[in-house]
Amino acid sequence: MIETNQSTQPKPSSLLGYSLADLETIYAEMGEKPYRVKQTMEWIYKQRISDIEEMSNLPANLRKHLSDTYYLNDLQHIETKGAADTTRKFLFRLHDGRYVETVFIPASVGLKGKQSTRKTICVSSQVGCAYGCKFCASGLAGFTRNLTAAEIIGQMLSVEKIAEQPINNIVFMGMGEPLANLTNLTKALEVITGHWGFNIGARSVTVSTSGLAPQIRKLAEFPAPIRLAISLHGATDEVRDLIMPINKKYPIKELFDALHYWRTHKKQKISLEYILIEGVNDDLDQAAILAKRAKGLNAKVNLIPYNTVEGLNWKRPSESHCIAFRDIVAAAGINTTLRLEKGGDINAACGQLRLKKETSEGIIKAPVKTTS
Ligand code: SAH
Ligand code: SF4
């Protein structure tokens, strides 16, 4: 049983869930001067204070009101996997006793041996996931709830604090389906890209989706040039239907219509993500069809050898097979990457740490072990 807040007081909300325009409205209703909004945002996103009381240039009565009504970041850091300077995975406890995972990937040697200055965070957008892709740990125990915009932003503030490094690249590739949480996602995107907020360039923000076609069209209206990644994982409906139930609702034709629509709104290339699972979607015929689809969309292709998930029997193909698959896609003139580093448990897709923790605490039942 999850404890709930039994108090009759209205539950305070987090200031992290507000954009500049939201806070301007709230302050105007309170009769506060507009410049107080800017001061407040500076304390949160420039000074990175952890307590509202630290906003020392705000009048005492405003500080008191804010402290009584709002809080900042309520994520509790529980566990870290991985050593400093490498990819690290963090487990955070939410106010209702649920858990989410966030991954931090610091600068590494990039293409052509150049040192990359990218510091990437991979954030979760939901607790669990309702889409139940057959290979994925996040969907294994079903869906619990959406994360609020404040909980998405909270992951970023917490990770920057723990890692003591500024983030300059963000991917929505953690637990959950971001496009099924569109309202909170777009609010978080406003804070992430706002000059008054995280101030991360929209081109360094990637939203990944399993293919919710109508929501792709809606997100295309977001004004800043954010990037889109599609978890394709099958080049034909036949293969995709086997592993991604969403494909029954939005088959490839419908998905690609939405992607063409996206392309009319944004200049950046779409990325097609394709995990390679032995004997499931790694037939070389799929590579040729994938290349054709990518070409039609002028998209990039990222091939990712499958990371083993506890309780699932899927396996990654041999390295030579992954290379053969890549070569077919690349030969068609597609910008193609293949991540050949050993997956290890840290790089594994999100959802596993949380699954273990919530199962051990009896919050969720041990997920059914199945591969079909
Ligand atoms: N729901 C969204 C956002 C999550 S992104 C989406 O599916 O796009 C998480 C990415 O990791 C997805 O591309 C997903 O397919 C991939 N993934 C899930 N399980 C994986 C595994 N075991 N090994 C490698 N990639 C995996
Ligand atoms: Fe959900 Fe994405 Fe995992 Fe599918 S791959 S279950 S949509 S998180």
Side-chain angles (χ1 to χ4, degrees), residues 199-360:
N199 199 19
I200 293 181
R203 287 175 187 80
S204 304
V205 180
T206 303
V207 175
S208 178
T209 177
S210 58
L212 278 65
Q215 282 83 348
I216 289 172
R217 290 171 186 267
K218 284 190 189 151
L219 188 64
E221 309 300 332
F222 189 78
I226 53 168
R227 293 178 191 266
L228 187 67
I230 303 299
S231 293
L232 196 63
H233 309 333
T236 54
D237 282 326
E238 200 185 7
V239 170
R240 212 168 181 257
D241 275 348
L242 279 179
I243 52 178
M244 299 183 77
I246 184 78
N247 198 64
K248 293 257 196 273
K249 195 161 182 196
Y250 306 117
I252 290 183
K253 160 89 175 73
E254 207 169 328
L255 171 59
F256 274 69
D257 283 350
L259 298 182
H260 282 289
Y261 179 83
W262 176 278
R263 290 284 289 140
T264 62
H265 283 67
K266 312 268 182 226
K267 286 199 185 76
Q268 284 70 38
K269 283 191 176 184
I270 291 172
S271 301
L272 300 178
E273 309 285 317
Y274 199 103
I275 52 178
L276 290 162
I277 314 174
E278 190 179 68
V280 176
N281 66 353
D282 66 338
D283 195 291
L284 297 181
D285 288 350
Q286 289 286 305
I289 302 168
L290 173 62
K292 224 163 113 188
R293 296 205 188 279
K295 192 152 219 162
L297 197 62
N298 193 20
K300 297 192 285 189
V301 169
N302 293 325
L303 301 171
I304 309 133
Y306 184 66
N307 280 309
T308 321
V309 171
E310 210 175 294
L312 298 177
N313 293 328
W314 313 89
K315 277 201 298 244
R316 58 171 57 186
S318 68
E319 200 169 301
S320 59
H321 188 82
C322 293
I323 291 171
F325 196 100
R326 181 204 53 202
D327 288 349
I328 291 176
V329 184
I334 310 297
N335 180 345
T336 314
T337 65
L338 168 65
R339 277 181 240 158
L340 271 182
E341 83 272 17
K342 301 287 168 257
D345 20 305
I346 306 305
N347 289 329
C350 270
Q352 304 193 56
L353 265 186
R354 165 257 173 177
L355 209 57
K356 240 184 209 158
K357 190 81 181 167
E358 292 199 357
T359 306
S360 76

Side-chain angles (χ1 to χ4, degrees), residues 126 128-140 173-178 208-212 231 233 243-246 350:
Q126 298 182 315
C129 182
Y131 290 86
C133 302
K134 300 275 168 64
F135 47 80
C136 176
S138 294
L140 264 184
M173 294 188 181
M175 208 176 13
E177 171 49 60
S208 178
T209 177
S210 58
L212 278 65
S231 293
H233 309 333
I243 52 178
M244 299 183 77
I246 184 78
C350 270

Side-chain angles (χ1 to χ4, degrees), residues 6-254:
Q6 299 293 330
S7 154
T8 51
Q9 296 288 325
K11 203 170 150 317
S13 43
S14 172
L15 281 179
L16 305 185
Y18 295 119
S19 67
L20 191 74
D22 295 335
L23 208 57
E24 276 167 359
T25 307
I26 293 170
Y27 276 28
E29 280 166 5
M30 296 190 313
E32 288 295 338
K33 297 266 186 330
Y35 72 92
R36 297 290 185 205
V37 176
K38 204 168 151 258
Q39 286 177 327
T40 306
M41 289 304 197
E42 276 177 5
W43 283 114
I44 301 174
Y45 296 107
K46 296 229 160 49
Q47 307 301 327
R48 299 296 170 90
I49 52 158
S50 44
D51 190 328
I52 289 171
E53 282 303 328
E54 291 172 58
M55 299 183 179
S56 57
N57 60 359
L58 297 189
N61 61 345
L62 175 57
R63 268 200 330 258
K64 161 116 182 47
H65 171 76
L66 291 178
S67 296
D68 289 347
T69 323
Y70 301 102
Y71 59 88
L72 293 174
N73 187 4
D74 70 346
L75 262 58
Q76 212 187 329
H77 177 215
I78 301 293
E79 194 181 323
T80 302
K81 273 194 142 194
D85 299 332
T86 61
T87 296
R88 272 181 287 175
K89 194 185 251 188
F90 304 100
L91 184 71
F92 294 109
R93 189 175 195 273
L94 307 172
H95 71 86
D96 58 357
R98 294 293 184 160
Y99 294 89
V100 283
E101 290 170 40
T102 315
V103 177
F104 179 65
I105 307 146
S108 60
V109 179
L111 291 173
K112 299 181 188 132
K114 276 195 198 141
Q115 185 70 25
S116 157
T117 53
R118 265 201 195 170
K119 288 158 202 249
T120 301
I121 186 174
C122 173
V123 290
S124 292
S125 55
Q126 298 182 315
V127 181
C129 182
Y131 290 86
C133 302
K134 300 275 168 64
F135 47 80
C136 176
S138 294
L140 264 184
F143 171 71
T144 302
R145 70 170 175 87
N146 281 331
L147 294 187
T148 62
E151 287 167 333
I152 295 172
I153 299 300
Q155 293 174 64
M156 300 178 66
L157 288 171
S158 292
V159 166
E160 280 200 346
K161 202 165 211 169
I162 301 165
E164 296 178 327
Q165 297 181 60
I167 295 158
N168 57 21
N169 196 48
I170 166 163
V171 294
F172 283 82
M173 294 188 181
M175 208 176 13
E177 171 49 60
L179 292 197
N181 186 14
L182 197 60
T183 307
N184 295 337
L185 170 72
T186 37
K187 186 58 70 183
L189 290 173
E190 280 182 59
V191 178
I192 291 164
T193 56
H195 60 91
W196 43 267
F198 259 94
N199 199 19
I200 293 181
R203 287 175 187 80
S204 304
V205 180
T206 303
V207 175
S208 178
T209 177
S210 58
L212 278 65
Q215 282 83 348
I216 289 172
R217 290 171 186 267
K218 284 190 189 151
L219 188 64
E221 309 300 332
F222 189 78
I226 53 168
R227 293 178 191 266
L228 187 67
I230 303 299
S231 293
L232 196 63
H233 309 333
T236 54
D237 282 326
E238 200 185 7
V239 170
R240 212 168 181 257
D241 275 348
L242 279 179
I243 52 178
M244 299 183 77
I246 184 78
N247 198 64
K248 293 257 196 273
K249 195 161 182 196
Y250 306 117
I252 290 183
K253 160 89 175 73
E254 207 169 328

